[in-house]
Amino acid sequence: MSHETTGIEYLFQDPKIHLDERVRDLVSRLTLEEKVESMLQYQPAIDRLGVAAYKHGTEAAHGIAWLGEATSFPQPVGLACTWDTELMRLIGSVIADEARVYYRRDPKLNGLTLWAPTVDMERDPRWGRNEEAYGEDPYLTGELSKELVKGIQGDHPVYLKAVATLKHFLGNNNEVDRGIGSSSIDPRNLREYYLRAFEKPFTEGGAQSMMTSYNLINGTPATLYHGVNDIVRGEWGMDGFVVSDAGDVMGIVNDHQYYDSHTPGVAESIRAGIDSITDDAELSKQAIREALAQGTLQEEDLDRALFHTFRVRFRLGEFDPAADNPYASIGEEALLTEQARELSLRAAREQIVLLKNEHELLPLNPARCGKVAVIGTHGNEVYRDWYSGTLPYRVTPLEAIRAKLEGKDAKERVVYRDGKKRVILTAVNDGAKLTVDSSGEMRLSQDGEPTVLTMTDWGYGSVTLHDEHLGTYVTSDEETLRVTADEAYGWYVKEVFGLTPVGQGEHLWTTWNGKPVIAGTEGSLKVVEAEKFALNAVESNASTVLGQSQTFQVETVSDGLAEAIAAAQAADTAIVFVGNHPLINGKEENDRPGLELAASQQRLIEEVYRVNPNTIVVLTGSYSFAIPWVQEHIPAIVYTSHAGQEQGTAIADVLFGDYAPAGRLNMTWVQSEDQLGDIKDYDIIRGGRTYQYFEGESLYPFGHGLTYSPFEYNDLRTDVPKDSVKSIAALDAVDTLQVWVEVTNRGVAAGEEVVQLYVRPGASRVKRPLKTLCGFQRIRLEAGETRTVSFTIRMKDWAIWDVTRDCYCVESGEYTLLAGASSADIRLEHPVYVRGEVIPPRQAGRSIRAENFDNCSDIVLDESKEQREACVRPRTPQRSGWIAFHGVDMDTVSVVELQCRVSCNSSDATIELRLDAPDSEAVARVNVGNTGGAQAWVTLSEAVHSVSGTRDVYLLLSGEVRLAHFTLGANATEDSGFQA
């Protein structure tokens, strides 16, 4: 049958043809200019071929965002606290359903390629985007994000409901300097931690897209990183497409200053695996055209990229009859369904973590809890973050608590005090007071009735000002202020101000970006440049400049703290709601200034507790907090993320026992920021980061969470028989292990438990984790019920990355299985012996890559363009650093020479060879001169004093030297022992 008789004009339109053949046919029919145009996020329509316009990238971190009302789920940091894989899959399905609704409304703008989930590892709680990801453990992150991917993409063998885009690859865990900074990640950290979170969503979840990150990885921009092609596509078999983050391809020049023009960066990005460019369209297209003309980019490079993007569009059903695609019929009925609302509530409940419950203060009994004081801003608010959608409704905790105590006396039984100050602002120079008219216009007046503003102190110098009469916030532009904002929200949160004390009763009023607010002419308010203000202040040495007030008095009309204390004192139970605003003091582009609560919130808790010992603290946060005083004194503490439309209902259900909390922390909560290292230090092994390596005393351990019923663990066992020699269960490194543990609910009511299984390795060639999560299940048990929980573990998942051979390796030895309710609450242990490998010593005479060190000090990894590997250099040229290689067999060759592949920008750099200790006497010293630049590589050799035996090798690097690899061996030619 011909295409003419079937109405099919081109081969790619025929659904009976193999998918890859159809995609290649379509791409082959595009003109070169059409190919260039299609390399961007907004792919144009190609009318002559019947190809519609398409946009890659719809935000969907915890619900469809920015398109209109959609079901809202808790922030991902909260979803991670559910430890519920089934829930994640269901949420993904709802998100995809609602994406389909918006796609049908406008397929040109509302694409089905969704930018979620965020898989970045959260090794530091100060990261400004902490709310977007799933915690500090790669196993937990991989399992949860894998299931979200499955839910988003559906289970049809051919068609995709929508597409999940994993982000951000790789090492993206600080916001300050994210566009210019380099994440230094050695092979073990890379393979055992950062990559493992991404692997399962691809290999088991089938994710069809990935976004690269803004940062450099060991000196290479992430858009150029070889791991995109070599690992994600090559090792993991990802067959979808890769997209750059917004503005990042141009960032190769604009931010990283890696090239002098956009053309080489764009060309190299495409060759390195970027298939879709999210950036300035005209600049990107011009750079592609220039690269094609110069021969640095070939048409087949575009063909390969477009094959990836169009292949995904084919799988979304765009080019096939709607009748063939089971997802094409999803319509308006799938938006904001009752089932989705119930799922949102389930998620909001499941993510709540009971941190402390002394004397069983919780749950509250509605009939006996007496008068309840609800205190704090968060008690009557539901905030949304940058990637939240438009909430269809929101239930605040206050509303839900009042509903629990329904009846004619409910209002009398529940008293709310927000704890905020109500203030009047007065210009210091002439006493004019701030007034606001019905349109939100602000003026300073001597005669008018002053406007009372509600001031919320978010800590770290950030406040918001709200006019309760108008129901709007004070906001600013570059020159003026108005009271017109419905909420504090935006990429730049212009509703944030500073009111800094600068003298007796005087405050400097500044905008979100640090610009002073001063009194202008005729009662106006002006925003001025900070530099101009500082100059005027110095010249005038006064609080006024040319009659304009530079400072303001803040007069307290009502003291919210005093009102809160009075309410708590008169109540039987006080519930204090504190936490962060998800767009203030920590968000994309802004790391957190600290881990503590705002000082005003801390004082609020302390003062309420002073007058009412029955105080419950509810923490609402996008991240963990350092709250040692609260933990020591407050009897009951509950944590929730910003949980969306049903946040209040979920909190009230937990407080009053209609739902028993079972959330578990996805991160270690530290006592103090002092327990953390530099936020830009990506070495969790040597830095002692995350529960795997942290040896300090945590505030709350990873996996912590209490509930209302005690659960008992018994009979941890495996399916492996005992080894006759080892007398313990033994199996081979290629085997799969079955593990069972019995869990019993010893309470009087049904409840949920998150059963956690960890492994603790024994003796090892290298520093190993204290323990590592290898299995978990969230289960529900009726009162008195016992269930046998089973786990299936692949021994290969216990592998480490062997830097001596560049491969994964399961070491022989004893491992201990640990079952319990958290990483610190281990109830049962069971040893097993694994017959794996003993890593052999390194052999002198073979080239050793510098990045494959076993230990280091004051070293960072950087780029070696000569070969696709990282080099090492001292952290700063002013301070020496060393790298160590343990167990080098010097007897395999006659070691008489140290040969180094180096580059250097200065004339006084050195590399010293030391044995067994970094401070031992040098047995060789290589003087490195200026090689002509950081990427001008030469090989230098130096004689070595006679050495033998198996020794630990230390190389001490000083100055602006970079070392790519080295050899210890006999006299050699310049290239001996090195492989290109």
Side-chain angles (χ1 to χ4, degrees):
M1 184 180 295
S2 69
H3 287 325
E4 287 75 12
T5 59
T6 61
I8 295 174
E9 185 175 358
Y10 304 111
L11 185 149
F12 74 82
Q13 295 172 327
D14 189 348
K16 298 178 181 178
I17 302 298
H18 188 278
L19 171 64
D20 290 356
E21 189 176 351
R22 296 176 68 192
V23 179
R24 280 191 287 269
D25 178 70
L26 171 59
V27 173
S28 72
R29 297 179 186 277
L30 303 179
T31 67
L32 182 57
E33 182 57 25
E34 287 169 343
K35 292 176 181 179
V36 171
E37 295 271 348
S38 298
M39 288 297 298
L40 278 298
Q41 176 192 17
Y42 288 85
Q43 294 184 309
I46 303 170
D47 295 332
R48 65 184 184 84
L49 296 176
V51 176
Y54 187 86
K55 177 199 171 188
H56 291 293
T58 295
E59 298 292 354
H62 49 116
I64 294 298
W66 306 352
L67 302 184
E69 289 188 355
T71 304
S72 65
F73 297 98
Q75 295 174 305
V77 67
L79 293 177
C81 291
T82 69
W83 292 55
D84 189 335
T85 54
E86 178 199 44
L87 174 69
M88 296 299 292
R89 193 164 187 169
L90 294 173
I91 288 172
S93 183
V94 168
I95 290 173
D97 284 341
E98 298 193 345
R100 280 275 172 182
V101 174
Y102 279 103
Y103 174 72
R104 287 188 72 172
R105 289 182 182 180
D106 190 345
K108 294 181 180 179
L109 292 178
N110 302 333
L112 292 172
T113 42
L114 311 183
W115 285 355
T118 296
V119 187
D120 301 296
M121 293 313 304
E122 297 188 313
R123 65 190 168 83
D124 196 301
R126 295 167 294 191
W127 183 35
R129 301 182 75 172
N130 190 83
E131 77 262 10
E132 293 183 43
Y134 295 87
E136 70 181 24
D137 183 74
Y139 182 86
L140 177 66
T141 295
E143 289 292 323
L144 295 178
S145 56
K146 173 187 75 177
E147 295 303 318
L148 187 76
V149 167
K150 288 181 178 179
I152 287 174
Q153 298 190 165
D155 55 7
H156 194 274
V158 175
Y159 295 104
L160 300 165
K161 187 187 288 191
V163 168
T165 299
L166 308 187
K167 58 183 189 178
H168 311 83
F169 192 84
L170 187 72
N172 178 62
N173 195 212
N174 60 273
E175 292 304 293
V176 175
D177 295 335
R178 69 175 184 175
I180 61 174
S182 179
S183 300
S184 178
I185 306 175
D186 66 86
R188 276 199 64 209
N189 276 283
L190 178 72
R191 291 286 184 166
E192 295 176 25
Y193 189 64
Y194 294 100
L195 288 178
R196 278 192 172 167
F198 280 88
E199 184 174 2
K200 279 189 178 179
F202 283 122
T203 59
E204 298 179 21
Q208 285 291 288
S209 182
M210 183 183 80
M211 177 185 287
T212 52
S213 55
Y214 284 115
N215 52 282
L216 301 107
I217 304 166
N218 297 337
T220 301
T223 51
L224 311 181
Y225 180 52
H226 69 85
V228 173
N229 281 329
D230 292 352
I231 299 172
V232 179
R233 291 195 188 282
E235 296 182 22
W236 298 342
M238 194 274 272
D239 57 0
F241 73 97
V242 178
V243 59
S244 65
D245 208 342
D248 197 33
V249 172
M250 297 300 108
I252 295 171
V253 173
N254 297 339
D255 300 319
H256 298 305
Q257 299 178 3
Y258 190 85
Y259 288 120
D260 294 331
S261 72
H262 294 306
T263 300
V266 171
E268 192 173 337
S269 291
I270 294 170
R271 295 199 306 272
I274 298 298
D275 304 309
S276 176
I277 298 174
T278 310
D279 217 311
D280 184 291
E282 294 309 315
L283 284 177
S284 300
K285 288 186 287 188
Q286 185 58 31
I288 294 172
R289 296 183 190 109
E290 291 176 0
L292 289 168
Q294 295 168 4
T296 56
L297 196 64
Q298 305 299 320
E299 186 171 359
E300 51 262 37
D301 294 321
L302 303 188
D303 291 346
R304 181 176 58 254
L306 293 174
F307 176 85
H308 295 147
T309 55
F310 276 108
R311 189 177 190 276
V312 167
R313 287 178 62 177
F314 269 87
R315 292 199 63 194
L316 287 167
E318 179 182 343
F319 298 94
D320 291 355
D324 294 350
N325 178 8
Y327 305 122
S329 61
I330 296 174
E332 294 293 327
E333 75 288 343
L335 183 65
L336 299 174
T337 65
E338 179 61 23
Q339 292 76 16
R341 187 200 67 78
E342 291 173 357
L343 190 66
S344 174
L345 176 57
R346 173 183 166 183
R349 285 168 168 165
E350 286 195 17
Q351 55 92 46
I352 292 175
V353 182
L354 181 60
L355 297 174
K356 181 181 179 183
N357 192 23
E358 200 171 63
H359 309 308
E360 297 185 349
L361 179 57
L362 292 176
L364 298 173
N365 186 323
R368 295 198 295 267
C369 65
K371 191 172 184 179
V372 177
V374 175
I375 294 168
T377 301
H378 291 80
N380 198 29
E381 293 281 2
V382 175
Y383 296 105
R384 62 188 185 121
D385 62 38
W386 177 244
Y387 290 110
S388 293
T390 302
L391 276 61
Y393 62 90
R394 60 190 76 196
V395 180
T396 72
L398 176 62
E399 293 168 340
I401 290 170
R402 281 183 170 155
K404 294 293 182 187
L405 303 176
E406 60 183 346
K408 63 180 181 179
D409 62 342
K411 287 190 176 180
E412 289 73 25
R413 289 186 66 190
V414 181
V415 177
Y416 174 63
R417 297 291 182 268
D418 58 22
K420 303 176 186 178
K421 286 183 179 179
R422 271 69 180 173
V423 300
I424 292 173
L425 299 180
T426 304
V428 167
N429 68 319
D430 60 4
K433 298 184 183 299
L434 181 69
T435 63
V436 181
D437 66 19
S438 60
S439 67
E441 195 73 31
M442 302 177 70
R443 299 192 64 78
L444 292 165
S445 173
Q446 299 281 358
D447 305 319
E449 184 70 22
T451 297
V452 176
L453 296 176
T454 302
M455 184 171 72
T456 306
D457 179 6
W458 295 105
Y460 303 102
S462 298
V463 302
T464 51
L465 300 167
H466 184 255
D467 187 322
E468 292 181 318
H469 177 69
L470 295 178
T472 50
Y473 286 85
V474 180
T475 187
S476 67
D477 58 24
E478 293 304 307
E479 296 182 352
T480 61
L481 279 70
R482 290 177 60 82
V483 189
T484 55
D486 292 329
E487 60 182 327
Y489 185 82
W491 182 257
Y492 300 113
V493 188
K494 298 182 179 181
E495 295 72 44
V496 174
F497 295 91
L499 282 169
T500 308
V502 292
Q504 189 66 33
E506 296 183 25
H507 295 75
L508 176 62
W509 188 0
T510 52
T511 61
W512 64 277
N513 55 353
K515 294 184 177 182
V517 178
I518 68 171
T521 58
E522 299 180 356
S524 65
L525 289 169
K526 291 176 57 179
V527 177
V528 299
E529 295 295 330
E531 295 81 4
K532 178 180 177 182
F533 173 88
L535 178 61
N536 288 340
V538 170
E539 290 177 347
S540 65
N541 194 28
S543 61
T544 62
V545 175
L546 300 179
Q548 297 178 349
S549 178
Q550 294 193 113
T551 58
F552 295 82
Q553 289 181 334
V554 181
E555 176 188 346
T556 300
V557 176
S558 64
D559 184 350
L561 177 60
E563 294 169 352
I565 293 170
Q569 195 164 19
D572 299 285
T573 303
I575 309 174
V576 184
F577 287 83
V578 293
N580 80 307
H581 188 295
L583 289 167
I584 299 174
N585 295 333
K587 60 177 286 291
E588 187 166 358
E589 288 200 329
N590 299 108
D591 291 314
R592 294 169 66 187
L595 302 182
E596 295 77 19
L597 290 168
S600 60
Q601 293 186 356
Q602 179 67 32
R603 187 182 176 197
L604 181 65
I605 296 170
E606 293 178 11
E607 291 298 318
V608 168
Y609 176 69
R610 182 176 57 83
V611 300
N612 191 331
N614 290 328
T615 294
I616 301 160
V617 167
V618 178
L619 283 167
T620 304
S622 307
Y623 34 63
S624 62
F625 297 92
I627 52 167
W629 188 96
V630 178
Q631 166 60 21
E632 181 181 356
H633 295 90
I634 302 301
I637 309 169
V638 173
Y639 167 74
T640 174
S641 72
H642 296 276
Q645 61 197 46
E646 291 286 352
Q647 178 173 316
T649 308
I651 292 171
D653 285 348
V654 166
L655 292 177
F656 288 91
D658 294 307
Y659 182 83
R664 299 293 189 268
L665 294 180
N666 64 332
M667 298 183 73
T668 302
W669 286 35
V670 296
Q671 300 268 357
S672 164
E673 188 176 357
D674 295 339
Q675 294 177 298
L676 303 174
D678 189 332
I679 191 174
K680 297 179 183 178
D681 181 5
Y682 279 75
D683 189 339
I684 71 162
I685 298 173
R686 295 159 195 89
R689 303 296 281 273
T690 81
Y691 79 97
Q692 294 190 50
Y693 296 97
F694 180 62
E695 296 185 7
E697 182 181 352
S698 65
L699 182 69
Y700 305 113
F702 173 79
H704 172 73
L706 308 176
T707 188
Y708 295 152
S709 294
F711 286 83
E712 181 178 283
Y713 287 65
N714 290 289
D715 194 20
L716 177 63
R717 62 191 188 277
T718 71
D719 65 340
V720 180
K722 287 185 178 181
D723 183 273
S724 59
V725 177
K726 300 295 181 181
S727 296
I728 61 173
L731 69 167
D732 294 326
V734 296
D735 290 343
T736 298
L737 176 67
Q738 287 296 130
V739 182
W740 297 275
V741 61
E742 288 187 358
V743 182
T744 303
N745 180 354
R746 294 299 185 192
V748 297
E752 293 174 272
E753 175 77 344
V754 177
V755 183
Q756 301 170 42
L757 188 68
Y758 297 84
V759 60
R760 181 177 65 218
S764 172
R765 179 189 174 278
V766 297
K767 181 180 179 181
R768 296 289 296 271
L770 302 171
K771 59 178 71 75
T772 300
L773 184 69
C774 60
F776 65 89
Q777 284 190 45
R778 183 169 180 139
I779 62 172
R780 176 180 171 83
L781 297 179
E782 298 299 321
E785 181 183 358
T786 296
R787 182 180 306 174
T788 299
V789 180
S790 64
F791 300 94
T792 301
I793 300 171
R794 302 174 302 185
M795 289 299 94
K796 69 177 184 177
D797 291 337
W798 290 1
I800 63 170
W801 184 254
D802 177 15
V803 294
T804 73
R805 297 173 296 174
D806 289 317
C807 64
Y808 284 108
C809 166
V810 179
E811 290 183 293
S812 290
E814 186 173 313
Y815 296 75
T816 304
L817 292 165
L818 311 168
S822 83
S823 63
D825 184 5
I826 300 301
R827 310 289 180 84
L828 299 170
E829 299 186 6
H830 189 289
V832 295
Y833 186 86
V834 179
R835 295 180 288 261
E837 297 181 74
V838 176
I839 297 174
R842 301 177 193 262
Q843 296 185 357
R846 294 184 178 178
S847 175
I848 298 175
R849 294 216 310 271
E851 66 174 339
N852 279 335
F853 52 77
D854 290 305
N855 203 356
C856 70
S857 177
D858 286 312
I859 286 290
V860 295
L861 286 89
D862 212 325
E863 182 182 51
S864 169
K865 286 187 176 181
E866 183 181 61
Q867 296 178 332
R868 291 203 301 180
E869 62 188 40
C871 64
V872 301
R873 62 170 174 81
R875 187 175 300 276
T876 64
Q878 295 75 32
R879 183 172 179 176
S880 299
W882 55 258
I883 49 178
F885 302 83
H886 297 153
V888 180
D889 184 354
M890 300 290 190
D891 294 332
T892 54
V893 297
S894 176
V895 176
V896 296
E897 186 177 67
L898 168 65
Q899 189 180 76
C900 301
R901 189 67 172 172
V902 297
S903 70
C904 188
N905 276 327
S906 65
S907 59
D908 57 353
T910 61
I911 299 176
E912 291 185 357
L913 170 62
R914 302 180 178 189
L915 299 177
D916 302 326
D919 56 355
S920 65
E921 184 178 351
V923 297
R925 178 187 175 96
V926 178
N927 294 310
V928 184
N930 192 326
T931 65
Q935 297 303 328
W937 295 91
V938 300
T939 300
L940 299 178
S941 301
E942 187 63 40
V944 176
H945 302 308
S946 179
V947 294
S948 61
T950 298
R951 312 288 290 272
D952 291 343
V953 169
Y954 290 81
L955 295 176
L956 185 74
L957 283 64
S958 302
E960 296 186 40
V961 61
R962 287 169 167 81
L963 174 66
H965 40 211
F966 69 97
T967 300
L968 291 167
N971 289 324
T973 61
E974 179 173 311
D975 291 326
S976 176
F978 297 101
Q979 299 181 11

